[in-house]
Amino acid sequence: MPGEDVREAVKTVTGTFEDFPFLPELPARGPGADMIGRTAGMLVELYARVEPSGWRIGDRPGRDTRRARSWLREDLDALEEFTQGYEGALKVQAVGPWTLAAQLELKNGEAALSDPGACRDLAASLAEGLRLHLAEVARRVPGARIVLQLDEPSLTAVLRGRVPTASGYRTHRAVDRQIVEAGLREVMAAHDGGPVVVHSCAPGVPFALLRRAGAAGISFDFSMLTERDDEAIGEAVEGGTRLLAGVVAGTDRPLSDPAGSVMGVRTLWRRLGLQPGLLAQAVTVAPACGLAGASPAYARRALAHCVRAAKSLADDPE
């Protein structure tokens, strides 16, 4: 979400999504509130600090780690305040193990992705950190059914060997799909059987791999889909996987009427020959990616637009 006022952000989210609020992230506050820094602050027995090139693993918790943890506590305080008595689904999110490995640097400046041992340590640390985080959320909002979202925008690049080295002249070799799947499965297990959604706003989302790893839902930028994805999406729907279709732009631009925003979803459904009645059960309408780059006014309109578009889809699936 845009801005630096977490209470205002949580108030907006809980007021708009009465049935599916989420814990917002406010990267405009600076390092430690950004996607990578926030998740780095959750790690157990691994610490990171900010360098000119990005976040780098260090030996001990420093100012940057303390700041990330402080902001997360502040965010949880606001969430607890605005969810008193709430019972229902509640989404929290963190960066997944492979995007974290692609973005976090080792001491030599290369991505953790370059070292298989570092990748394993990172996944284990993240899993333990998420267990603690989810337990804290459950303590603060005891009526919530927590949905964990893992943000994996770099996952396709990891699988295809497209993550650049520190020099920028080469790329790290592709990681074996079975290793990627195992790493995701380990981190998903931190939710102890609860639903996990994996989000990627990059093209080429590996739907089948994510389903095998145990994802209950897959969140994606709908505009990135091609007909090559049809079979994987059809199998996902028939297998009970929830689709979080990102159909609303994440930055300021004119919004169409709600029915127009989900026209592509209806078209896809007809092309796949799926039952229209499944739409409301299988699809959640969402922004294509985060709203941090939007104006606060647009972010509020975009969230409300998602609600209206979802109602249009449910009321008139055909």
mmCIF file with all atom_site columns, all heavy atoms in Angstrom, residues 108-131:
data_model
loop_
_atom_site.group_PDB
_atom_site.id
_atom_site.type_symbol
_atom_site.label_atom_id
_atom_site.label_alt_id
_atom_site.label_comp_id
_atom_site.label_asym_id
_atom_site.label_entity_id
_atom_site.label_seq_id
_atom_site.pdbx_PDB_ins_code
_atom_site.Cartn_x
_atom_site.Cartn_y
_atom_site.Cartn_z
_atom_site.occupancy
_atom_site.B_iso_or_equiv
_atom_site.pdbx_formal_charge
_atom_site.auth_seq_id
_atom_site.auth_comp_id
_atom_site.auth_asym_id
_atom_site.auth_atom_id
_atom_site.pdbx_PDB_model_num
ATOM 1   N N   . ASN A 1 108 ? 30.053 -11.842 -0.176 1.00 0.00 ? 108 ASN A N   1
ATOM 2   C CA  . ASN A 1 108 ? 30.883 -11.544 -1.355 1.00 0.00 ? 108 ASN A CA  1
ATOM 3   C C   . ASN A 1 108 ? 30.140 -10.702 -2.395 1.00 0.00 ? 108 ASN A C   1
ATOM 4   O O   . ASN A 1 108 ? 30.684 -10.401 -3.465 1.00 0.00 ? 108 ASN A O   1
ATOM 5   C CB  . ASN A 1 108 ? 31.401 -12.833 -1.989 1.00 0.00 ? 108 ASN A CB  1
ATOM 6   C CG  . ASN A 1 108 ? 30.283 -13.723 -2.525 1.00 0.00 ? 108 ASN A CG  1
ATOM 7   O OD1 . ASN A 1 108 ? 29.104 -13.352 -2.497 1.00 0.00 ? 108 ASN A OD1 1
ATOM 8   N ND2 . ASN A 1 108 ? 30.639 -14.906 -3.016 1.00 0.00 ? 108 ASN A ND2 1
ATOM 9   N N   . GLY A 1 109 ? 28.895 -10.354 -2.101 1.00 0.00 ? 109 GLY A N   1
ATOM 10  C CA  . GLY A 1 109 ? 28.125 -9.514  -3.010 1.00 0.00 ? 109 GLY A CA  1
ATOM 11  C C   . GLY A 1 109 ? 27.288 -10.272 -4.015 1.00 0.00 ? 109 GLY A C   1
ATOM 12  O O   . GLY A 1 109 ? 26.455 -9.667  -4.700 1.00 0.00 ? 109 GLY A O   1
ATOM 13  N N   . GLU A 1 110 ? 27.496 -11.581 -4.138 1.00 0.00 ? 110 GLU A N   1
ATOM 14  C CA  . GLU A 1 110 ? 26.663 -12.374 -5.046 1.00 0.00 ? 110 GLU A CA  1
ATOM 15  C C   . GLU A 1 110 ? 25.351 -12.763 -4.366 1.00 0.00 ? 110 GLU A C   1
ATOM 16  O O   . GLU A 1 110 ? 25.267 -12.834 -3.140 1.00 0.00 ? 110 GLU A O   1
ATOM 17  C CB  . GLU A 1 110 ? 27.400 -13.645 -5.491 1.00 0.00 ? 110 GLU A CB  1
ATOM 18  C CG  . GLU A 1 110 ? 28.509 -13.410 -6.492 1.00 0.00 ? 110 GLU A CG  1
ATOM 19  C CD  . GLU A 1 110 ? 28.007 -12.907 -7.845 1.00 0.00 ? 110 GLU A CD  1
ATOM 20  O OE1 . GLU A 1 110 ? 26.776 -12.910 -8.074 1.00 0.00 ? 110 GLU A OE1 1
ATOM 21  O OE2 . GLU A 1 110 ? 28.853 -12.513 -8.660 1.00 0.00 ? 110 GLU A OE2 1
ATOM 22  N N   . ALA A 1 111 ? 24.344 -13.038 -5.157 1.00 0.00 ? 111 ALA A N   1
ATOM 23  C CA  . ALA A 1 111 ? 23.058 -13.450 -4.609 1.00 0.00 ? 111 ALA A CA  1
ATOM 24  C C   . ALA A 1 111 ? 23.192 -14.778 -3.874 1.00 0.00 ? 111 ALA A C   1
ATOM 25  O O   . ALA A 1 111 ? 24.002 -15.641 -4.253 1.00 0.00 ? 111 ALA A O   1
ATOM 26  C CB  . ALA A 1 111 ? 22.030 -13.591 -5.730 1.00 0.00 ? 111 ALA A CB  1
ATOM 27  N N   . ALA A 1 112 ? 22.416 -14.939 -2.813 1.00 0.00 ? 112 ALA A N   1
ATOM 28  C CA  . ALA A 1 112 ? 22.412 -16.215 -2.094 1.00 0.00 ? 112 ALA A CA  1
ATOM 29  C C   . ALA A 1 112 ? 22.081 -17.369 -3.026 1.00 0.00 ? 112 ALA A C   1
ATOM 30  O O   . ALA A 1 112 ? 22.471 -18.514 -2.781 1.00 0.00 ? 112 ALA A O   1
ATOM 31  C CB  . ALA A 1 112 ? 21.408 -16.154 -0.949 1.00 0.00 ? 112 ALA A CB  1
ATOM 32  N N   . LEU A 1 113 ? 21.405 -17.071 -4.123 1.00 0.00 ? 113 LEU A N   1
ATOM 33  C CA  . LEU A 1 113 ? 21.054 -18.079 -5.120 1.00 0.00 ? 113 LEU A CA  1
ATOM 34  C C   . LEU A 1 113 ? 22.278 -18.807 -5.662 1.00 0.00 ? 113 LEU A C   1
ATOM 35  O O   . LEU A 1 113 ? 22.179 -19.947 -6.132 1.00 0.00 ? 113 LEU A O   1
ATOM 36  C CB  . LEU A 1 113 ? 20.306 -17.400 -6.275 1.00 0.00 ? 113 LEU A CB  1
ATOM 37  C CG  . LEU A 1 113 ? 19.642 -18.288 -7.314 1.00 0.00 ? 113 LEU A CG  1
ATOM 38  C CD1 . LEU A 1 113 ? 18.486 -19.062 -6.703 1.00 0.00 ? 113 LEU A CD1 1
ATOM 39  C CD2 . LEU A 1 113 ? 19.149 -17.442 -8.493 1.00 0.00 ? 113 LEU A CD2 1
ATOM 40  N N   . SER A 1 114 ? 23.437 -18.162 -5.601 1.00 0.00 ? 114 SER A N   1
ATOM 41  C CA  . SER A 1 114 ? 24.658 -18.751 -6.146 1.00 0.00 ? 114 SER A CA  1
ATOM 42  C C   . SER A 1 114 ? 25.198 -19.895 -5.297 1.00 0.00 ? 114 SER A C   1
ATOM 43  O O   . SER A 1 114 ? 26.077 -20.640 -5.736 1.00 0.00 ? 114 SER A O   1
ATOM 44  C CB  . SER A 1 114 ? 25.745 -17.675 -6.269 1.00 0.00 ? 114 SER A CB  1
ATOM 45  O OG  . SER A 1 114 ? 26.116 -17.169 -4.985 1.00 0.00 ? 114 SER A OG  1
ATOM 46  N N   . ASP A 1 115 ? 24.678 -20.057 -4.082 1.00 0.00 ? 115 ASP A N   1
ATOM 47  C CA  . ASP A 1 115 ? 25.205 -21.047 -3.130 1.00 0.00 ? 115 ASP A CA  1
ATOM 48  C C   . ASP A 1 115 ? 24.066 -21.954 -2.675 1.00 0.00 ? 115 ASP A C   1
ATOM 49  O O   . ASP A 1 115 ? 23.202 -21.517 -1.906 1.00 0.00 ? 115 ASP A O   1
ATOM 50  C CB  . ASP A 1 115 ? 25.829 -20.319 -1.934 1.00 0.00 ? 115 ASP A CB  1
ATOM 51  C CG  . ASP A 1 115 ? 26.469 -21.256 -0.928 1.00 0.00 ? 115 ASP A CG  1
ATOM 52  O OD1 . ASP A 1 115 ? 26.103 -22.453 -0.883 1.00 0.00 ? 115 ASP A OD1 1
ATOM 53  O OD2 . ASP A 1 115 ? 27.334 -20.786 -0.155 1.00 0.00 ? 115 ASP A OD2 1
ATOM 54  N N   . PRO A 1 116 ? 24.046 -23.225 -3.124 1.00 0.00 ? 116 PRO A N   1
ATOM 55  C CA  . PRO A 1 116 ? 22.952 -24.122 -2.722 1.00 0.00 ? 116 PRO A CA  1
ATOM 56  C C   . PRO A 1 116 ? 22.808 -24.258 -1.211 1.00 0.00 ? 116 PRO A C   1
ATOM 57  O O   . PRO A 1 116 ? 21.681 -24.329 -0.701 1.00 0.00 ? 116 PRO A O   1
ATOM 58  C CB  . PRO A 1 116 ? 23.336 -25.460 -3.362 1.00 0.00 ? 116 PRO A CB  1
ATOM 59  C CG  . PRO A 1 116 ? 24.189 -25.072 -4.535 1.00 0.00 ? 116 PRO A CG  1
ATOM 60  C CD  . PRO A 1 116 ? 24.960 -23.869 -4.084 1.00 0.00 ? 116 PRO A CD  1
ATOM 61  N N   . GLY A 1 117 ? 23.927 -24.267 -0.493 1.00 0.00 ? 117 GLY A N   1
ATOM 62  C CA  . GLY A 1 117 ? 23.867 -24.360 0.967  1.00 0.00 ? 117 GLY A CA  1
ATOM 63  C C   . GLY A 1 117 ? 23.208 -23.143 1.580  1.00 0.00 ? 117 GLY A C   1
ATOM 64  O O   . GLY A 1 117 ? 22.399 -23.252 2.517  1.00 0.00 ? 117 GLY A O   1
ATOM 65  N N   . ALA A 1 118 ? 23.514 -21.963 1.035  1.00 0.00 ? 118 ALA A N   1
ATOM 66  C CA  . ALA A 1 118 ? 22.890 -20.732 1.523  1.00 0.00 ? 118 ALA A CA  1
ATOM 67  C C   . ALA A 1 118 ? 21.392 -20.741 1.241  1.00 0.00 ? 118 ALA A C   1
ATOM 68  O O   . ALA A 1 118 ? 20.595 -20.269 2.062  1.00 0.00 ? 118 ALA A O   1
ATOM 69  C CB  . ALA A 1 118 ? 23.543 -19.519 0.866  1.00 0.00 ? 118 ALA A CB  1
ATOM 70  N N   . CYS A 1 119 ? 21.005 -21.286 0.098  1.00 0.00 ? 119 CYS A N   1
ATOM 71  C CA  . CYS A 1 119 ? 19.570 -21.386 -0.225 1.00 0.00 ? 119 CYS A CA  1
ATOM 72  C C   . CYS A 1 119 ? 18.841 -22.271 0.774  1.00 0.00 ? 119 CYS A C   1
ATOM 73  O O   . CYS A 1 119 ? 17.732 -21.944 1.220  1.00 0.00 ? 119 CYS A O   1
ATOM 74  C CB  . CYS A 1 119 ? 19.380 -21.930 -1.638 1.00 0.00 ? 119 CYS A CB  1
ATOM 75  S SG  . CYS A 1 119 ? 19.882 -20.792 -2.951 1.00 0.00 ? 119 CYS A SG  1
ATOM 76  N N   . ARG A 1 120 ? 19.470 -23.375 1.140  1.00 0.00 ? 120 ARG A N   1
ATOM 77  C CA  . ARG A 1 120 ? 18.848 -24.277 2.118  1.00 0.00 ? 120 ARG A CA  1
ATOM 78  C C   . ARG A 1 120 ? 18.730 -23.598 3.479  1.00 0.00 ? 120 ARG A C   1
ATOM 79  O O   . ARG A 1 120 ? 17.688 -23.686 4.148  1.00 0.00 ? 120 ARG A O   1
ATOM 80  C CB  . ARG A 1 120 ? 19.655 -25.573 2.230  1.00 0.00 ? 120 ARG A CB  1
ATOM 81  C CG  . ARG A 1 120 ? 19.539 -26.481 1.011  1.00 0.00 ? 120 ARG A CG  1
ATOM 82  C CD  . ARG A 1 120 ? 20.115 -27.848 1.293  1.00 0.00 ? 120 ARG A CD  1
ATOM 83  N NE  . ARG A 1 120 ? 21.559 -27.801 1.534  1.00 0.00 ? 120 ARG A NE  1
ATOM 84  C CZ  . ARG A 1 120 ? 22.483 -27.907 0.585  1.00 0.00 ? 120 ARG A CZ  1
ATOM 85  N NH1 . ARG A 1 120 ? 22.117 -28.058 -0.680 1.00 0.00 ? 120 ARG A NH1 1
ATOM 86  N NH2 . ARG A 1 120 ? 23.766 -27.869 0.884  1.00 0.00 ? 120 ARG A NH2 1
ATOM 87  N N   . ASP A 1 121 ? 19.785 -22.920 3.896  1.00 0.00 ? 121 ASP A N   1
ATOM 88  C CA  . ASP A 1 121 ? 19.760 -22.223 5.190  1.00 0.00 ? 121 ASP A CA  1
ATOM 89  C C   . ASP A 1 121 ? 18.694 -21.128 5.196  1.00 0.00 ? 121 ASP A C   1
ATOM 90  O O   . ASP A 1 121 ? 18.006 -20.921 6.201  1.00 0.00 ? 121 ASP A O   1
ATOM 91  C CB  . ASP A 1 121 ? 21.128 -21.611 5.494  1.00 0.00 ? 121 ASP A CB  1
ATOM 92  C CG  . ASP A 1 121 ? 22.194 -22.659 5.774  1.00 0.00 ? 121 ASP A CG  1
ATOM 93  O OD1 . ASP A 1 121 ? 21.833 -23.831 6.017  1.00 0.00 ? 121 ASP A OD1 1
ATOM 94  O OD2 . ASP A 1 121 ? 23.392 -22.310 5.741  1.00 0.00 ? 121 ASP A OD2 1
ATOM 95  N N   . LEU A 1 122 ? 18.586 -20.428 4.083  1.00 0.00 ? 122 LEU A N   1
ATOM 96  C CA  . LEU A 1 122 ? 17.622 -19.335 3.973  1.00 0.00 ? 122 LEU A CA  1
ATOM 97  C C   . LEU A 1 122 ? 16.194 -19.871 4.070  1.00 0.00 ? 122 LEU A C   1
ATOM 98  O O   . LEU A 1 122 ? 15.347 -19.298 4.776  1.00 0.00 ? 122 LEU A O   1
ATOM 99  C CB  . LEU A 1 122 ? 17.837 -18.615 2.645  1.00 0.00 ? 122 LEU A CB  1
ATOM 100 C CG  . LEU A 1 122 ? 17.316 -17.190 2.488  1.00 0.00 ? 122 LEU A CG  1
ATOM 101 C CD1 . LEU A 1 122 ? 17.849 -16.291 3.594  1.00 0.00 ? 122 LEU A CD1 1
ATOM 102 C CD2 . LEU A 1 122 ? 17.724 -16.649 1.121  1.00 0.00 ? 122 LEU A CD2 1
ATOM 103 N N   . ALA A 1 123 ? 15.912 -20.964 3.378  1.00 0.00 ? 123 ALA A N   1
ATOM 104 C CA  . ALA A 1 123 ? 14.569 -21.557 3.425  1.00 0.00 ? 123 ALA A CA  1
ATOM 105 C C   . ALA A 1 123 ? 14.225 -22.019 4.837  1.00 0.00 ? 123 ALA A C   1
ATOM 106 O O   . ALA A 1 123 ? 13.101 -21.806 5.315  1.00 0.00 ? 123 ALA A O   1
ATOM 107 C CB  . ALA A 1 123 ? 14.471 -22.712 2.439  1.00 0.00 ? 123 ALA A CB  1
ATOM 108 N N   . ALA A 1 124 ? 15.182 -22.645 5.512  1.00 0.00 ? 124 ALA A N   1
ATOM 109 C CA  . ALA A 1 124 ? 14.930 -23.131 6.874  1.00 0.00 ? 124 ALA A CA  1
ATOM 110 C C   . ALA A 1 124 ? 14.698 -21.967 7.837  1.00 0.00 ? 124 ALA A C   1
ATOM 111 O O   . ALA A 1 124 ? 13.800 -22.004 8.686  1.00 0.00 ? 124 ALA A O   1
ATOM 112 C CB  . ALA A 1 124 ? 16.108 -23.979 7.345  1.00 0.00 ? 124 ALA A CB  1
ATOM 113 N N   . SER A 1 125 ? 15.496 -20.915 7.699  1.00 0.00 ? 125 SER A N   1
ATOM 114 C CA  . SER A 1 125 ? 15.354 -19.742 8.559  1.00 0.00 ? 125 SER A CA  1
ATOM 115 C C   . SER A 1 125 ? 14.019 -19.045 8.310  1.00 0.00 ? 125 SER A C   1
ATOM 116 O O   . SER A 1 125 ? 13.331 -18.621 9.248  1.00 0.00 ? 125 SER A O   1
ATOM 117 C CB  . SER A 1 125 ? 16.513 -18.779 8.299  1.00 0.00 ? 125 SER A CB  1
ATOM 118 O OG  . SER A 1 125 ? 16.357 -17.588 9.029  1.00 0.00 ? 125 SER A OG  1
ATOM 119 N N   . LEU A 1 126 ? 13.645 -18.927 7.039  1.00 0.00 ? 126 LEU A N   1
ATOM 120 C CA  . LEU A 1 126 ? 12.377 -18.299 6.688  1.00 0.00 ? 126 LEU A CA  1
ATOM 121 C C   . LEU A 1 126 ? 11.208 -19.104 7.233  1.00 0.00 ? 126 LEU A C   1
ATOM 122 O O   . LEU A 1 126 ? 10.242 -18.532 7.777  1.00 0.00 ? 126 LEU A O   1
ATOM 123 C CB  . LEU A 1 126 ? 12.267 -18.159 5.168  1.00 0.00 ? 126 LEU A CB  1
ATOM 124 C CG  . LEU A 1 126 ? 10.956 -17.591 4.624  1.00 0.00 ? 126 LEU A CG  1
ATOM 125 C CD1 . LEU A 1 126 ? 10.697 -16.189 5.165  1.00 0.00 ? 126 LEU A CD1 1
ATOM 126 C CD2 . LEU A 1 126 ? 10.975 -17.579 3.090  1.00 0.00 ? 126 LEU A CD2 1
ATOM 127 N N   . ALA A 1 127 ? 11.261 -20.422 7.105  1.00 0.00 ? 127 ALA A N   1
ATOM 128 C CA  . ALA A 1 127 ? 10.173 -21.266 7.602  1.00 0.00 ? 127 ALA A CA  1
ATOM 129 C C   . ALA A 1 127 ? 9.986  -21.069 9.105  1.00 0.00 ? 127 ALA A C   1
ATOM 130 O O   . ALA A 1 127 ? 8.854  -20.917 9.586  1.00 0.00 ? 127 ALA A O   1
ATOM 131 C CB  . ALA A 1 127 ? 10.452 -22.734 7.281  1.00 0.00 ? 127 ALA A CB  1
ATOM 132 N N   . GLU A 1 128 ? 11.084 -21.045 9.844  1.00 0.00 ? 128 GLU A N   1
ATOM 133 C CA  . GLU A 1 128 ? 10.981 -20.864 11.293 1.00 0.00 ? 128 GLU A CA  1
ATOM 134 C C   . GLU A 1 128 ? 10.472 -19.465 11.631 1.00 0.00 ? 128 GLU A C   1
ATOM 135 O O   . GLU A 1 128 ? 9.631  -19.285 12.526 1.00 0.00 ? 128 GLU A O   1
ATOM 136 C CB  . GLU A 1 128 ? 12.331 -21.105 11.953 1.00 0.00 ? 128 GLU A CB  1
ATOM 137 C CG  . GLU A 1 128 ? 12.319 -21.037 13.472 1.00 0.00 ? 128 GLU A CG  1
ATOM 138 C CD  . GLU A 1 128 ? 11.328 -22.003 14.111 1.00 0.00 ? 128 GLU A CD  1
ATOM 139 O OE1 . GLU A 1 128 ? 11.080 -23.085 13.538 1.00 0.00 ? 128 GLU A OE1 1
ATOM 140 O OE2 . GLU A 1 128 ? 10.790 -21.675 15.191 1.00 0.00 ? 128 GLU A OE2 1
ATOM 141 N N   . GLY A 1 129 ? 10.952 -18.456 10.909 1.00 0.00 ? 129 GLY A N   1
ATOM 142 C CA  . GLY A 1 129 ? 10.483 -17.095 11.145 1.00 0.00 ? 129 GLY A CA  1
ATOM 143 C C   . GLY A 1 129 ? 9.001  -16.946 10.861 1.00 0.00 ? 129 GLY A C   1
ATOM 144 O O   . GLY A 1 129 ? 8.282  -16.245 11.584 1.00 0.00 ? 129 GLY A O   1
ATOM 145 N N   . LEU A 1 130 ? 8.527  -17.599 9.807  1.00 0.00 ? 130 LEU A N   1
ATOM 146 C CA  . LEU A 1 130 ? 7.106  -17.524 9.477  1.00 0.00 ? 130 LEU A CA  1
ATOM 147 C C   . LEU A 1 130 ? 6.243  -18.230 10.526 1.00 0.00 ? 130 LEU A C   1
ATOM 148 O O   . LEU A 1 130 ? 5.142  -17.783 10.833 1.00 0.00 ? 130 LEU A O   1
ATOM 149 C CB  . LEU A 1 130 ? 6.847  -18.119 8.093  1.00 0.00 ? 130 LEU A CB  1
ATOM 150 C CG  . LEU A 1 130 ? 7.252  -17.227 6.923  1.00 0.00 ? 130 LEU A CG  1
ATOM 151 C CD1 . LEU A 1 130 ? 7.107  -17.981 5.604  1.00 0.00 ? 130 LEU A CD1 1
ATOM 152 C CD2 . LEU A 1 130 ? 6.397  -15.961 6.892  1.00 0.00 ? 130 LEU A CD2 1
ATOM 153 N N   . ARG A 1 131 ? 6.750  -19.325 11.079 1.00 0.00 ? 131 ARG A N   1
ATOM 154 C CA  . ARG A 1 131 ? 5.997  -19.998 12.153 1.00 0.00 ? 131 ARG A CA  1
ATOM 155 C C   . ARG A 1 131 ? 5.763  -19.037 13.316 1.00 0.00 ? 131 ARG A C   1
ATOM 156 O O   . ARG A 1 131 ? 4.654  -18.940 13.849 1.00 0.00 ? 131 ARG A O   1
ATOM 157 C CB  . ARG A 1 131 ? 6.746  -21.237 12.648 1.00 0.00 ? 131 ARG A CB  1
ATOM 158 C CG  . ARG A 1 131 ? 6.707  -22.410 11.697 1.00 0.00 ? 131 ARG A CG  1
ATOM 159 C CD  . ARG A 1 131 ? 7.285  -23.668 12.332 1.00 0.00 ? 131 ARG A CD  1
ATOM 160 N NE  . ARG A 1 131 ? 7.424  -24.718 11.330 1.00 0.00 ? 131 ARG A NE  1
ATOM 161 C CZ  . ARG A 1 131 ? 8.531  -24.979 10.653 1.00 0.00 ? 131 ARG A CZ  1
ATOM 162 N NH1 . ARG A 1 131 ? 9.637  -24.268 10.882 1.00 0.00 ? 131 ARG A NH1 1
ATOM 163 N NH2 . ARG A 1 131 ? 8.563  -25.937 9.753  1.00 0.00 ? 131 ARG A NH2 1
#
